[in-house]
Amino acid sequence: MEAIIQENVQNKIDRLANKKVYVHLETTNGAYASHFDENAYNVGAFIRNAQVEFQHGKIVSTGGSYRVGLKLDLGWVYAEGVTDYEIDDKDRLLMAGHDREGRLMVALEISETPFSHEADPDE
Amino acid sequence: MSKENVVVIFPHPDDESFGASGTISKFRDEGASVTYLCGTLGEMGRNMGNPVFANRETLSSFRKKELQNAVKQLDIDVELLGYRDKTLEFEPREQVAAHLKEKIEALNATIVITHYPGYAVHPDHDALGAAVVEAVENIESSKRPAVWMHAISNNSEKDLGEPDIVYDVKPYWERKLAAIKAHLSQADGMMSLIENHDQTAAQLERLKTERFYRYTFTT
């Protein structure tokens, strides 16, 4: 992944609009948050391979971190805090935000093919 | 030569290194066979390397390779159980238990090491530990392996008392560190969590002993 280049991400979002796409959306502060800090709460949510079609989408910046919103016929997909991106070898748009130690805090990924469930035993 | 067949069952690549690699080394030195049944590939881990080198889609491939390196350091066998990170508690317990029972019996396990359900912090740890207990309970009592459970939560000793088995793993510390470091994408993040913790010394000291509670079967 590399630091987001807004124009590249916007172009890719535009190319994915009005198509059936698969979304991975996630945010987490980890399963150990309250173990290492008793005042912290563990929070997290993810959805993997939600199939949606968005009318249009936009990436917006404030002070170095980005928000992405995708408008659906009946709703929205939204992520805040993404800082890095990659268009990978499967032509998927991967975006993520990391903390100072490189730990993932938020991810939004959009693909024209389903994301794998990579967990095949004894490959 | 030890006749023990030790089967270690944890959900994530690196649980074996942080939680039991000293004990594993001790058993290997005594000639026991050790197999790690690893529940998932840790696909949903937060640590992506520091500096970041993995992403959500490539993390599982990195962790699979890291696991192979770690088990090479520990000179043990590994089998992947094929579940998905963060979802084990939502799988039907009896199905996971039946799957595990088959593996435990096939390996002729005499000792099974897993997490202490309810005292293992991560939901996957608790869920897999509970499924292991159920699996072993379903084995005919004369053929059951012993079950050793690793508790992690801060309240475990207050609730459960002193563990039944306490190993000083300092003699195996180099191997343990090598195994931990094999998990490149994870090691830095976990170690920095530990180092930044209010009780760093206590947390590091905990890594130098490995403690287990023995499960007592009632039937």
Side-chain angles (χ1 to χ4, degrees):
Chain A
M1 298 197 124
E2 56 173 315
I4 280 178
I5 300 168
Q6 193 169 350
E7 191 188 351
N8 292 1
V9 172
Q10 185 63 57
N11 287 340
K12 184 64 183 163
I13 289 172
D14 293 345
R15 289 200 297 278
L16 291 165
N18 298 302
K19 285 180 181 168
K20 272 190 180 157
V21 293
Y22 299 86
V23 168
H24 174 99
L25 176 65
E26 168 187 358
T27 183
T28 179
N29 68 345
Y32 296 92
S34 63
H35 179 64
F36 287 104
D37 174 4
E38 60 183 25
N39 296 316
Y41 294 93
N42 288 3
V43 293
F46 78 88
I47 184 165
R48 187 163 177 83
N49 279 327
Q51 198 192 50
V52 300
E53 192 171 325
F54 61 91
Q55 301 168 0
H56 58 81
K58 198 187 282 189
I59 175 163
V60 179
S61 157
T62 326
S65 104
Y66 295 85
R67 294 175 296 282
V68 176
L70 311 175
K71 187 174 190 179
L72 314 180
D73 287 345
L74 291 173
W76 287 87
V77 171
Y78 171 91
E80 175 165 24
V82 293
T83 51
D84 302 311
Y85 91 114
E86 177 175 333
I87 296 170
D88 75 357
D89 54 5
K90 293 181 175 144
D91 203 31
R92 304 179 291 199
L93 175 58
L94 313 181
M95 292 169 281
H98 302 92
D99 69 11
R100 281 172 193 83
E101 268 91 14
R103 286 186 286 258
L104 185 138
M105 297 189 293
V106 59
L108 172 59
E109 306 177 343
I110 313 168
S111 169
E112 291 184 63
T113 53
F115 292 99
S116 79
H117 273 266
E118 239 266 21
D120 46 335
D122 307 313
E123 182 177 89
Chain B
M1 289 289 274
S2 163
K3 290 201 179 72
E4 302 289 358
N5 285 327
V6 181
V7 177
V8 178
I9 309 177
F10 293 134
H12 310 116
D14 79 0
D15 289 334
E16 81 299 338
S17 294
F18 281 104
S21 55
T23 304
I24 288 169
S25 302
K26 176 185 172 296
F27 275 118
R28 286 299 293 137
D29 282 2
E30 292 166 0
S33 82
V34 179
T35 302
Y36 181 32
L37 301 182
C38 184
T40 79
L41 291 174
E43 301 89 340
M44 291 297 285
R46 273 198 319 152
N47 288 297
M48 297 290 171
N50 187 17
V52 173
F53 59 80
N55 64 50
R56 177 55 75 239
E57 300 311 313
T58 59
L59 183 63
S60 57
S61 306
F62 282 110
R63 294 195 73 172
K64 204 170 176 179
K65 285 192 203 102
E66 292 167 357
L67 177 61
Q68 299 298 346
N69 290 338
V71 301
K72 205 179 288 171
Q73 297 288 342
L74 297 171
D75 188 29
I76 63 173
D77 295 321
V78 63
E79 287 180 39
L80 304 174
L81 295 174
Y83 296 98
R84 197 174 163 84
D85 195 10
K86 284 204 160 183
T87 65
L88 264 164
E89 61 184 326
F90 308 112
E91 296 285 1
R93 164 95 49 91
E94 64 281 4
Q95 279 180 23
V96 180
H99 181 191
L100 292 171
K101 177 172 179 271
E102 199 180 290
K103 294 277 186 191
I104 291 165
E105 288 179 325
L107 291 163
N108 289 316
T110 56
I111 298 172
V112 173
I113 297 178
T114 191
H115 284 115
Y116 198 128
Y119 290 92
V121 178
H122 192 300
D124 284 333
H125 297 173
D126 285 335
L128 195 58
V132 168
V133 167
E134 189 169 312
V136 178
E137 259 173 345
N138 289 339
I139 295 173
E140 189 193 312
S141 61
S142 63
K143 294 181 179 163
R144 275 179 198 148
V147 176
W148 295 6
M149 302 177 298
H150 176 41
I152 303 173
S153 63
N154 297 325
N155 63 342
S156 57
E157 290 204 8
K158 195 172 126 254
D159 283 14
L160 305 169
E162 277 287 304
D164 302 308
I165 299 145
V166 180
Y167 288 135
D168 173 1
V169 301
K170 282 196 228 48
Y172 312 100
W173 184 242
E174 272 181 38
R175 248 184 286 173
K176 178 161 184 164
L177 262 188
I180 288 174
K181 284 181 179 162
H183 295 282
L184 261 186
S185 67
Q186 308 301 303
D188 274 0
M190 279 308 284
M191 292 310 271
S192 83
L193 265 183
I194 289 167
E195 281 155 17
N196 294 328
H197 190 264
D198 294 345
Q199 297 144 352
T200 300
Q203 291 279 340
L204 267 176
E205 211 43 47
R206 281 191 77 150
L207 279 181
K208 292 182 183 170
T209 59
E210 291 176 1
R211 301 148 170 266
F212 304 98
Y213 295 86
R214 223 184 275 273
Y215 186 78
T216 311
F217 295 95
T218 52
T219 54

